[in-house]
Amino acid sequence: MRTQVAIIGAGPAGLLLGQLLSRQGIDNVIIERKSGDYVLSRIRAGVLEQGMVQMLEEAGVAERLHREGLVHDGFSLAFDGRRHRIDLKGLTGGKTVTVYGQTEVTHDLMVAREGIGATTIYEADDVVLHDFDGASPRVSFVKDGVRTELACDFIAGCDGFHGVSRRSVPEGAIQEFERVYPFGWLGVLADVPPAAHELVYASAERGFALCSMRSATRSRYYVQVSLDEEVEDWSDERFFDELRRRLPEDVAAAVTVGPSIEKSIAPLRSFVAEPMRFGRLFLAGDAAHIVPPTGAKGLNLAASDIHYLSQSLIEHYRDRSDTGIATYSQRALARIWKAERFSWWMTGLLHKFPANTPFEQRMQRAEFDHIANSTVGSAGVAENYVGLPY
Ligand code: APR
Ligand code: PHB
């Protein structure tokens, strides 16, 4: 087999890259470890920056997004029961975010890819990257028990944090930066109307909670839990009780309790691998970086990486220019680190840290009071939340 660009991973990063390359006539093959159904079953993030919406429009997959997505002009921060709305639209000259589940983005990209007849190899085992430091990289994998080899010009490692791509880079060629947080998020998806029409990020003595949504009839809620918690110990009743105890009274009163259709605990970490290019291998999305979900940046960073990478590969094939390829890592990392900072800062502001001293707890409150009473403070939050320019 041969293609121009081999893409490892059929998550949002891989699928979006494949769609943008295919629309420019650049041949690509996606190699995915899991089945398509499994990829679609993963419940993930749900807030799209305006830049990502534009990327999906460029990819020709934004029709359902515009029909079903919820455009939000703001969101609220709550601290010990006091609520402050961040007026995204007013503070950023009209920018907004769109609430639309990652599952839906993945579905729309999968349908589009099937529609153009591009090749995705699902349930590929034992994927191995070869010779990406030379001019003839290859990817081999086992499909239906047969090892197959795919020759290509470039490899895009879009295989997430636990993928094979980053691990294929020689240890001395990569530097990793990491912060693991001393808590996780217990998330629940339920077919009940949202407690508020915009997102509410709440910080309380008992810990952090988030009220989000997928539609007017489907809510997504999270509560901070310690790392030794087991999801089996959290009945729906216990979850909703804890959620309401952490919310401002009016929001808590508006919570509709209903059976969870998904419930899971996710750890929180900040992680960046530098650089993101190794010869003819490029890392993009979670393969190269992870953010705590507090800033809703994970999916959006995958999109901005793909903005830079797709542009670089298109320039290579269309304009015979390798300037984009040579600067991909530097340009992607400049934006990644700013999103890492914002996500780390939002996490530090809103969560209960076991090791925090009373002084540090006062700093959290003072930070909230500053934002709530300062247009400049709120604008700083707003410009990062809607997404910094690509
Ligand atoms: N070979 C092939 N595919 C692999 C391998 C492998 N060795 N390892 C992982 N994969 C696949 C996974 O099954 C997954 O479908 O790569 C894909 C990576 O997708 P994501 O983890 O969703 O990463 P990305 O596309 O970068 O999207 C980032 O997804 O995890 C969320 O919070 C994250 O919202 C962010 C977004
Ligand atoms: C979600 O809806 O899943 C969501 C929204 C905002 C976040 C994190 C998760 O910051």
Side-chain angles (χ1 to χ4, degrees):
M1 283 177 80
R2 187 183 212 296
T3 188
Q4 290 174 298
V5 181
I7 300 172
I8 318 295
L15 287 165
L16 181 55
L17 177 61
Q19 185 66 10
L20 291 168
L21 294 180
S22 296
R23 285 170 70 87
Q24 297 292 326
I26 298 170
D27 189 59
N28 60 88
V29 170
I30 295 181
I31 300 166
E32 164 59 50
R33 177 168 64 177
K34 299 290 188 183
S35 69
D37 289 342
Y38 181 92
V39 173
L40 279 174
S41 69
R42 293 190 299 233
I43 303 296
R44 293 282 171 69
V47 174
L48 308 187
E49 294 172 351
Q50 213 154 287
M52 177 160 190
V53 171
Q54 285 156 8
M55 292 273 300
L56 294 170
E57 288 168 347
E58 279 171 37
V61 297
E63 190 265 334
R64 188 162 75 103
L65 161 63
H66 285 307
R67 196 172 65 243
E68 298 179 8
L70 305 173
V71 177
H72 281 201
D73 298 350
F75 70 94
S76 288
L77 295 172
F79 209 90
D80 291 339
R82 290 176 296 137
R83 201 150 49 131
H84 171 67
R85 182 173 185 267
I86 301 289
D87 175 10
L88 294 175
K89 196 166 190 173
L91 291 166
T92 63
K95 290 185 181 176
T96 59
V97 293
T98 301
V99 172
Y100 189 68
Q102 177 171 317
T103 306
E104 309 319 319
V105 171
T106 305
H107 173 270
D108 296 345
L109 285 164
M110 277 181 174
V111 167
R113 187 165 181 85
E114 283 165 21
I116 59 174
T119 305
T120 305
I121 298 163
Y122 287 105
E123 297 179 288
D125 292 323
D126 191 20
V127 175
V128 180
L129 279 58
H130 307 272
D131 303 331
F132 49 81
D133 53 352
S136 309
R138 294 170 292 123
V139 178
S140 69
F141 55 91
V142 174
K143 175 69 178 169
D144 302 327
V146 176
R147 179 160 288 280
T148 305
E149 193 158 282
L150 175 67
C152 53
D153 299 334
F154 299 102
I155 304 173
C158 301
D159 47 348
F161 184 66
H162 301 289
V164 65
S165 298
R166 190 180 70 251
R167 284 189 283 113
S168 301
V169 174
E171 204 166 318
I174 196 165
Q175 187 176 4
E176 298 184 350
F177 304 83
E178 186 170 51
R179 163 88 194 264
V180 178
Y181 296 90
F183 41 74
W185 279 17
L186 166 60
V188 157
L189 195 65
D191 280 332
V192 293
H197 70 283
E198 292 180 334
L199 273 65
V200 180
Y201 292 77
S203 178
E205 176 52 39
R206 298 177 67 87
F208 170 80
L210 170 59
C211 299
S212 182
M213 65 201 71
R214 290 293 176 272
S215 70
T217 60
R218 177 166 285 192
S219 296
R220 179 70 166 158
Y221 291 119
Y222 298 94
V223 296
Q224 170 188 348
V225 292
S226 61
L227 288 174
D228 57 6
E229 287 286 348
E230 300 288 341
V231 67
E232 294 74 23
D233 297 334
W234 285 83
S235 66
D236 290 351
E237 183 185 6
R238 180 185 178 196
F239 175 86
F240 280 104
D241 177 55
E242 187 60 40
L243 173 73
R244 283 181 296 196
R245 295 172 78 169
R246 299 184 185 189
L247 297 173
E249 282 179 18
D250 59 329
V251 181
V255 170
T256 304
V257 177
S260 57
I261 52 179
E262 195 270 348
K263 190 187 295 175
S264 56
I265 294 178
L268 271 65
R269 95 179 56 237
S270 298
F271 174 86
V272 179
E274 288 187 358
M276 292 167 60
R277 177 206 174 189
F278 308 89
R280 288 178 172 252
L281 167 64
F282 302 94
L283 301 180
D286 274 17
H289 44 75
I290 296 288
V291 282
T294 327
K297 292 300 165 203
L299 178 57
N300 292 294
L301 277 182
S304 56
D305 287 353
I306 296 307
H307 165 78
Y308 300 123
L309 183 54
S310 61
Q311 209 176 52
S312 302
L313 292 168
I314 290 164
E315 284 168 12
H316 169 84
Y317 285 107
R318 187 188 57 199
D319 311 334
R320 296 276 174 264
S321 160
D322 282 352
T323 307
I325 281 177
T327 58
Y328 162 69
S329 179
Q330 168 205 341
R331 288 187 296 156
L333 283 166
R335 191 173 189 275
I336 287 160
W337 276 112
K338 294 189 191 101
E340 289 282 347
R341 181 208 67 81
F342 177 66
S343 304
W344 161 82
W345 174 81
M346 277 273 276
T347 303
L349 171 67
L350 295 168
H351 288 76
K352 184 182 176 72
F353 286 72
N356 265 7
T357 64
F359 174 80
E360 282 149 340
Q361 289 163 13
R362 282 288 187 278
M363 285 298 99
Q364 286 179 307
R365 183 183 299 178
E367 186 79 55
F368 175 81
D369 288 343
H370 163 64
I371 292 162
N373 297 289
S374 157
T375 304
V376 170
S378 290
V381 176
E383 74 166 348
N384 280 281
Y385 196 85
V386 298
L388 298 176
Y390 282 9

